[in-house]
């Protein structure tokens, strides 16, 4: 069993910033796992928005490219997502998981971008 615990979400005005964090525990070889941040907006499917490989290579969905930055700390089994220049369309529940994702998902952290 693998557990993911996300934190750092909240209510922010358009143009603002948030930093999300996720800690993985349980049966996962974190340093050998590609990791991703996903988001699910109301009424929509869950989508991958950022990905970081075991070697630190990053990739982003076009909608967040240039605004979001993913990073990892293998010593802490953690992955973070720095989100800048937030837009209302970024409103969603954000989850971390491996990439491709495992069947276990955390509770996610809610991000609301609104004035």
């Amino acid at each position: 069993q693998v557990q993911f615990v996300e934190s750092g979400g909240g209510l922010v005005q358009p143009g603002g910033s948030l930093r999300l964090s996720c800690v993985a525990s349980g049966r996962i070889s974190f340093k050998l796992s590609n990791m991703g941040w996903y988001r699910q907006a109301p009424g929509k499917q869950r989508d991958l928005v950022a990905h970081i490989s075991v070697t630190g290579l990053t990739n982003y969905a076009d909608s967040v490219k240039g605004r979001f930055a993913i990073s990892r700390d293998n010593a802490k089994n953690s992955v973070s997502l720095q989100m800048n220049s937030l837009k209302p369309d970024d409103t969603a529940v954000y989850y971390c998981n491996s990439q491709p994702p495992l069947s276990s998902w955390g509770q996610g952290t809610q991000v609301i971008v609104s004035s």
Side-chain angles (χ1 to χ4, degrees):
Q1 189 79 7
V2 179
Q3 294 84 39
F4 299 103
V5 178
E6 301 92 349
S7 62
L11 173 62
V12 63
Q13 292 187 343
S17 299
L18 283 174
R19 184 175 181 84
L20 307 183
S21 297
C22 170
V23 177
S25 63
R27 301 189 65 176
I28 181 171
S29 296
F30 185 85
K31 65 180 180 181
L32 300 180
S33 300
N34 299 321
M35 294 299 297
W37 278 97
Y38 304 76
R39 70 184 181 188
Q40 186 168 22
K44 295 188 177 182
Q45 67 180 19
R46 188 176 295 166
D47 291 325
L48 178 69
V49 296
H51 160 246
I52 185 165
S53 75
V54 296
T55 60
L57 292 176
T58 59
N59 200 7
Y60 301 91
D62 287 343
S63 59
V64 306
K65 200 170 293 184
R67 300 187 297 121
F68 289 12
I70 188 172
S71 59
R72 65 188 297 158
D73 184 342
N74 290 338
K76 297 181 179 180
N77 277 18
S78 69
V79 59
S80 298
L81 186 68
Q82 178 66 42
M83 306 188 297
N84 300 324
S85 303
L86 283 161
K87 305 175 181 179
D89 284 350
D90 296 319
T91 295
V93 180
Y94 285 71
Y95 304 87
C96 75
N97 206 317
S98 61
Q99 203 283 319
L102 301 172
S103 59
S104 297
W105 291 88
Q107 294 297 309
T109 186
Q110 175 78 58
V111 172
I112 300 174
V113 185
S114 175
S115 55

